[in-house]
Amino acid sequence: MFKIMALMCVFAVNGQNLCLVGDIPSSKFNTKQDCLNAVMNIVNFTDENFKSRNIGMEMQCVKLPENV
């Protein structure tokens, strides 16, 4: 199983960058390819909106331990 971990930054908030790290809720996937497809769907959906709001996000698929 895999989940999506994300780093999201809002740039230039009162002269500083505000960054948050976490996992995308309900993001458990059986295969890494399914996870990567979900990441691409999120990117395609949010890209223009995030650019216009000066927000950046990096995502990666992380393998969950077998007992989770």
Side-chain angles (χ1 to χ4, degrees):
M1 299 276 296
F2 292 84
K3 69 177 179 176
I4 301 172
M5 291 294 297
L7 167 67
M8 187 171 97
C9 295
V10 181
F11 301 112
V13 176
N14 292 327
Q16 297 182 345
N17 297 334
L18 173 63
C19 297
L20 306 163
V21 176
D23 57 326
I24 304 292
S26 302
S27 69
K28 291 187 180 174
F29 304 93
N30 290 323
T31 67
K32 187 169 186 176
Q33 189 59 52
D34 288 342
C35 183
L36 292 171
N37 290 341
V39 167
M40 287 309 302
N41 288 336
I42 293 168
V43 168
N44 290 333
F45 185 76
T46 60
D47 188 52
E48 288 299 319
N49 200 356
F50 278 17
K51 284 180 184 175
S52 69
R53 288 177 165 74
N54 211 18
I55 297 172
M57 184 163 64
E58 180 179 315
M59 294 176 279
Q60 72 179 82
C61 294
V62 176
K63 185 166 179 55
L64 292 169
E66 295 299 322
N67 59 352
V68 173

